[in-house]
Amino acid sequence: MRSEPIKVLLVDDDEDDYILTRDLLSEIKDGSFNLDWAQSYASGLEAIERAEHDVYLLDYQLGRGNGLDLLRETAGRCRAPMILLTGQGDLEVDVEAMKAGAADYLIKGKIDASLFGRSIRYALERAQGMQALRESEERYQRLVELSPDAIVVHVENRIVFINTAGVKLLGATSREQLIGLPVLRFVPDSLRRNAAGRVSRLLEDEVDPTFAEQKLRRLDGSSLDAEVAVVPFVYQDQPAVQVVARDISARKQAEERLLHEAFHDPLTGLANRALFLEHLKLAVERSKRPKGFLFAVLFLDLDRFKNINDSLGHTIGDELLRAVARRLEDCLRQIDIVARFGGDEFAVLLDGIADSSDAVRVAERIQGELHTPLNLGGHEVFISASIGIALSGRGYEHTEEIVRDADTAMYRAKALGKARHEIFDTEMHASAVAVLQLETDLRRAIERQEFCIHYQPIVSLTNDTLHGFEALVRWHHPARGLIAPGDFIAVAEETGVIVPLGRWVLREACAQMYRWQQQFPVAKDLMLSVNVSGKQFAQPDLFQQVEKILRETGFNPRRLQLEITESAVIENTATVTAMLMQLRGLGIKLSMDDFGTGYSSLSYLHRFPIDTLKIDGSFISSQAEAGESGIVRTIIMLARDLGMNVVAEGVETQEGWDTVRDFGCDLAQGYFISSPLPPEQVSRWLDEPIAISE
């Protein structure tokens, strides 16, 4: 109940009516009223305009006007309730009063205090409710306008309201461009039937008003991705539909970008390993069907890519990979897929081929395409690839099996000379398994101390006396017996086992040679040659390791000669040269092993502190081609000019012995002289040196 009196204004030109009204208000038990009186139409209009009262009582008869006219004139501006009073009941007046906005219609003389009180309370409550509703609608209007979501109201498919965000979303410049247009105009043609059906079901309460992704078409015909919800609505007492939409184009683009990045290589834009394997999985499943579907996987590795990266830089290397990716795409059909697996490795899935010849033709096309030089950053770059091919006819069940076999075939292509392709066969798999087993055994061999050293004599060609020994490692395999270096050194290099193995060989050989020097006087001046791999030279503490071994074994560094290969020197020129200078500072001699089989460049020799050249046995063998004698003579002459000694290795026959001695070689070693000997057999050479017979 209100604590303050209700302010009432009576507009009536009859004083008796005023007194009657005052008395009735005073009799109302549950209310307190302050009554004011306006005695004419004009004064009543003025008072209503001031809006100082809670309720207005308008007499129908006002002399120069009537209360119905006053009601009509002020109804749009007055928020307080108005009750029309008349001297007699008139249904037509009653109806007109209600239409004009009257809160009630009362007949004088038939009003008692109770009825009067109920009418006023009802009018006040209704006015308060309408005021709350108007305020709510105003708040709603403000919220709708401030909403970042587009809000559209349509009645019978025609837009009757749209907020500012909706105008922007649909590509208009004003509401007027959109009001009255069919709302389905903004739905793509292919989706209109579904959209109309959804609205129909919604109005029948058969669909929950949830957000769903929807394509929308703007005024200019462009489309966008949106989340759309439709809800039933009442607009101006008519059943309507309210559409709420928000633009999710940026989010969809971000999702598509993330999805693309998840399945594509960021450097080349090609599919990545994950996407390739998904496509391959589908191909494997199709190959199981009885229609005879065939496919092939090509695994590619670029030849000498590391050299390009190291010499021209990673930026040029990246450009090269992108250029190769485009050339690979040019070689394939639309249904095929090419992926970058990482580094300089690529994989190709040839989908639906007739037979193996199709795969071979694609491999040849790729190699031909790569044969054309590339111009990258002003550099003309040549590149080739080794390609392994695995065919689906072998009944693969899992994707990793066919990729593994294609990879195996690729390594076979590399081993056979690079820039070629090979098709996988069962022999390759058996070989790969054997290499893997060898690798496993090799890692355990050091722990189990399965290695030993044999020593091959090196003799002087001037006086046939013993010059020294080369330490050559051998492997006593528990199942395969004695394994020569050629069967495991390459695996040791690849796996890194060569580093601890090389360190062990150097330590063991120096210790053994020191013992012989103590036992045999002739051994004091003999040289010990030990091979050092490129991987060992990559160790930053190699100098410290060698110095420590010499100190711990007591072996004289001036009696030690370390043998390195051409490739180890050329591939890491600056680093290796600095290391060689440090080693020479200890008094160690340095030899270049297998000269002529690597880069075969004679011009760079003067850059390195080399004491001895070892000519590879392929140039010495009696089976060598006749023209190679000139190569041997050239090497010897160059070594003489550079102040180097020359060792001929691989001397297997009397003819070879005579040849290298006639050419002026200083030293020789080979099976004609002696095979590598176990330590217990070396003593006879030291106790009683053997002369080489003619």
Side-chain angles (χ1 to χ4, degrees):
M1 184 177 296
R2 290 175 53 135
S3 59
E4 297 179 356
I6 298 172
K7 296 179 180 180
V8 179
L9 174 67
L10 173 65
V11 183
D12 197 324
D13 58 358
D14 188 334
E15 184 176 0
D16 291 339
D17 286 342
Y18 166 69
I19 294 171
L20 176 62
T21 301
R22 183 191 62 193
D23 293 343
L24 285 172
L25 292 176
S26 66
E27 294 176 10
I28 299 174
K29 296 179 180 180
D30 55 351
S32 176
F33 301 90
N34 287 338
L35 179 63
D36 292 325
W37 182 25
Q39 301 177 33
S40 66
Y41 187 102
S43 61
L45 177 61
E46 184 180 346
I48 292 172
E49 294 287 354
R50 291 198 300 269
E52 297 174 346
H53 297 83
D54 300 316
V55 179
Y56 296 95
L57 305 175
L58 309 181
D59 185 31
Y60 183 69
Q61 297 294 337
L62 290 174
R64 295 183 180 179
N66 62 52
L68 185 57
D69 292 336
L70 183 58
L71 176 64
R72 289 174 177 152
E73 185 173 351
T74 59
R77 303 189 299 274
C78 181
R79 296 292 178 89
M82 295 184 179
I83 299 173
L84 189 66
L85 304 176
T86 182
Q88 55 185 0
D90 188 328
L91 180 59
E92 184 178 345
V93 174
D94 188 0
V95 172
E96 290 300 318
M98 293 300 105
K99 286 183 179 180
D104 203 353
Y105 176 78
L106 300 176
I107 301 173
K108 298 177 184 179
K110 295 183 179 181
I111 308 172
D112 58 17
S114 176
L115 176 61
F116 206 16
R118 285 199 304 270
S119 179
I120 292 175
R121 283 195 301 273
Y122 171 76
L124 284 171
E125 290 172 358
R126 187 164 180 263
Q128 291 169 354
M130 292 299 294
Q131 178 65 21
L133 179 60
R134 282 192 294 270
E135 291 175 355
S136 175
E137 289 177 347
E138 290 172 358
R139 286 195 298 270
Y140 174 77
Q141 288 280 4
R142 289 195 296 271
L143 287 173
V144 165
E145 280 304 312
L146 292 173
S147 172
D149 294 337
I151 298 177
V152 183
V153 178
H154 63 91
V155 176
E156 296 181 351
N157 190 37
R158 297 282 173 177
I159 297 175
V160 295
F161 172 82
I162 186 167
N163 68 347
T164 302
V167 172
K168 181 179 179 182
L169 181 76
L170 297 181
T173 56
S174 67
R175 286 183 175 83
E176 289 70 27
Q177 288 181 277
L178 301 171
I179 298 299
L181 293 180
V183 72
L184 290 179
R185 169 180 175 172
F186 301 99
V187 177
D189 296 342
S190 60
L191 302 175
R192 286 184 183 178
R193 180 176 297 178
N194 289 339
R198 179 176 175 82
V199 170
S200 177
R201 292 193 301 274
L202 176 75
L203 293 174
E204 296 171 2
D205 293 329
E206 295 182 4
V207 178
D208 293 331
T210 56
F211 276 99
E213 290 188 9
Q214 171 80 59
K215 282 282 187 183
L216 295 181
R217 188 166 61 184
R218 309 175 86 222
L219 271 181
D220 61 3
S222 62
S223 63
L224 59 85
D225 292 295
E227 279 186 340
V228 178
V230 290
V231 295
F233 197 65
V234 175
Y235 182 80
Q236 296 181 352
D237 297 328
Q238 298 181 79
V241 173
Q242 179 172 274
V243 180
V244 181
R246 59 179 65 122
D247 187 354
I248 60 170
S249 299
R251 191 188 80 191
K252 293 288 288 185
Q253 291 170 3
E255 290 174 354
E256 290 171 2
R257 185 170 59 253
L258 288 173
L259 186 63
H260 184 273
E261 291 173 355
F263 290 101
H264 289 80
D265 172 51
L267 177 64
T268 63
L270 297 178
N272 63 10
R273 182 187 185 95
L275 182 57
F276 182 86
L277 293 178
E278 283 297 317
H279 281 270
L280 182 55
K281 182 179 179 180
L282 296 175
V284 170
E285 292 301 317
R286 287 197 297 272
S287 70
K288 296 177 182 178
R289 299 171 186 172
K291 294 183 180 180
F293 175 83
L294 295 176
F295 67 90
V297 171
L298 278 61
F299 202 91
L300 296 82
D301 186 87
L302 302 183
D303 301 323
R304 296 176 299 278
F305 175 73
K306 184 178 183 299
N307 293 342
I308 295 173
N309 239 1
D310 292 346
S311 59
L312 301 180
H314 289 277
T315 300
I316 297 297
D318 289 347
E319 286 187 39
L320 173 62
L321 292 173
R322 284 191 287 266
V324 168
R326 302 292 80 80
R327 291 193 175 187
L328 292 177
E329 289 176 322
D330 292 341
C331 293
L332 303 177
R333 304 166 298 173
Q334 288 291 332
I335 62 172
D336 301 327
I337 182 171
V338 56
R340 182 184 176 212
F341 265 42
D344 59 341
E345 293 181 336
F346 298 84
V348 173
L349 172 60
L350 301 178
D351 220 351
I353 61 174
D355 52 44
S356 62
S357 62
D358 287 345
V360 170
R361 278 194 294 272
V362 173
E364 292 173 345
R365 189 183 309 140
I366 289 172
Q367 286 169 331
E369 190 69 24
L370 294 180
H371 182 72
T372 306
L374 295 161
N375 192 305
L376 303 173
H379 301 277
E380 190 175 49
V381 177
F382 290 84
I383 196 69
S384 62
S386 299
I387 305 175
I389 303 172
L391 303 170
S392 63
R394 304 182 62 82
Y396 291 101
E397 291 288 336
H398 304 290
T399 56
E400 58 268 21
E401 295 173 348
I402 190 167
V403 173
R404 175 203 65 198
D405 290 350
D407 189 32
T408 299
M410 181 273 293
Y411 275 105
R412 174 63 63 88
K414 276 195 177 295
L416 293 176
K418 304 179 181 180
R420 56 183 293 154
H421 63 269
E422 289 292 323
I423 299 177
F424 177 82
D425 57 34
T426 53
E427 181 183 341
M428 290 184 190
H429 180 63
S431 175
V433 172
V435 169
L436 179 61
Q437 184 60 51
L438 183 68
E439 178 185 333
T440 302
D441 293 346
L442 188 59
R443 292 183 183 279
R444 295 172 178 168
I446 295 179
E447 301 173 6
R448 298 174 178 175
Q449 299 182 344
E450 295 174 357
F451 292 102
C452 65
I453 300 176
H454 286 194
Y455 299 86
Q456 187 170 38
I458 301 173
V459 300
S460 169
L461 286 166
T462 57
N463 55 20
D464 295 353
T465 58
L466 182 63
H467 175 78
F469 295 95
E470 181 179 358
L472 300 169
V473 67
R474 297 292 187 268
W475 181 9
H476 278 290
H477 192 279
R480 298 172 56 182
L482 193 65
I483 302 178
D487 294 330
F488 68 85
I489 288 296
V491 177
E493 287 271 4
E494 185 176 343
T495 59
V497 173
I498 194 68
V499 174
L501 177 59
R503 190 162 52 242
W504 177 85
V505 169
L506 180 61
R507 179 182 297 276
E508 184 66 20
C510 287
Q512 178 63 71
M513 198 68 180
Y514 180 77
R515 290 193 293 271
W516 283 331
Q517 289 175 338
Q518 304 306 307
Q519 183 178 358
F520 302 101
V522 70
K524 292 187 181 297
D525 295 325
L526 296 181
M527 295 294 298
L528 172 66
S529 294
V530 180
N531 291 281
V532 181
S533 78
K535 287 284 180 67
Q536 287 177 270
F537 267 100
Q539 303 299 306
D541 62 341
L542 176 63
F543 174 79
Q544 289 79 5
Q545 292 177 20
V546 173
E547 187 180 38
K548 180 180 179 182
I549 289 171
L550 291 172
R551 184 174 63 253
E552 292 176 349
T553 60
F555 188 63
N556 183 358
R558 298 185 181 280
R559 302 287 86 190
L560 176 63
Q561 181 163 274
L562 298 180
E563 298 188 2
I564 59 176
T565 61
E566 289 181 82
S567 59
V569 173
I570 299 303
E571 290 180 4
N572 304 281
T573 303
T575 303
V576 172
T577 301
M579 184 69 71
L580 293 176
M581 294 302 294
Q582 283 185 296
L583 293 171
R584 281 201 68 176
L586 291 175
I588 296 172
K589 300 292 191 293
L590 301 169
S591 171
M592 183 170 287
D593 195 15
D594 300 331
F595 186 78
T597 62
Y599 290 83
S600 303
S601 174
L602 304 178
S603 61
Y604 62 75
L605 282 177
H606 69 280
R607 306 178 193 173
F608 308 112
I610 302 297
D611 300 291
T612 302
L613 287 184
K614 295 190 75 172
I615 303 175
D616 186 73
S618 61
F619 297 109
I620 306 302
S621 171
S622 60
Q623 301 300 318
E625 297 178 5
E628 292 184 349
S629 61
I631 297 176
V632 176
R633 288 181 185 275
T634 301
I635 294 173
I636 294 172
M637 290 174 57
L638 176 65
R640 289 280 181 265
D641 290 342
L642 296 175
M644 299 178 185
N645 294 323
V646 181
V647 179
E649 61 180 350
V651 178
E652 311 296 331
T653 63
Q654 181 71 55
E655 180 183 358
W657 171 269
D658 295 339
T659 298
V660 296
R661 186 167 57 182
D662 292 343
F663 284 169
C665 280
D666 302 292
L667 305 166
Q669 71 181 99
Y671 276 75
F672 177 72
I673 303 165
S674 173
S675 62
L677 304 171
E680 59 270 16
Q681 294 184 22
V682 172
S683 58
R684 70 188 185 97
W685 281 83
L686 300 177
D687 189 33
E688 193 175 323
I690 301 174
I692 305 302
S693 59
E694 295 294 336

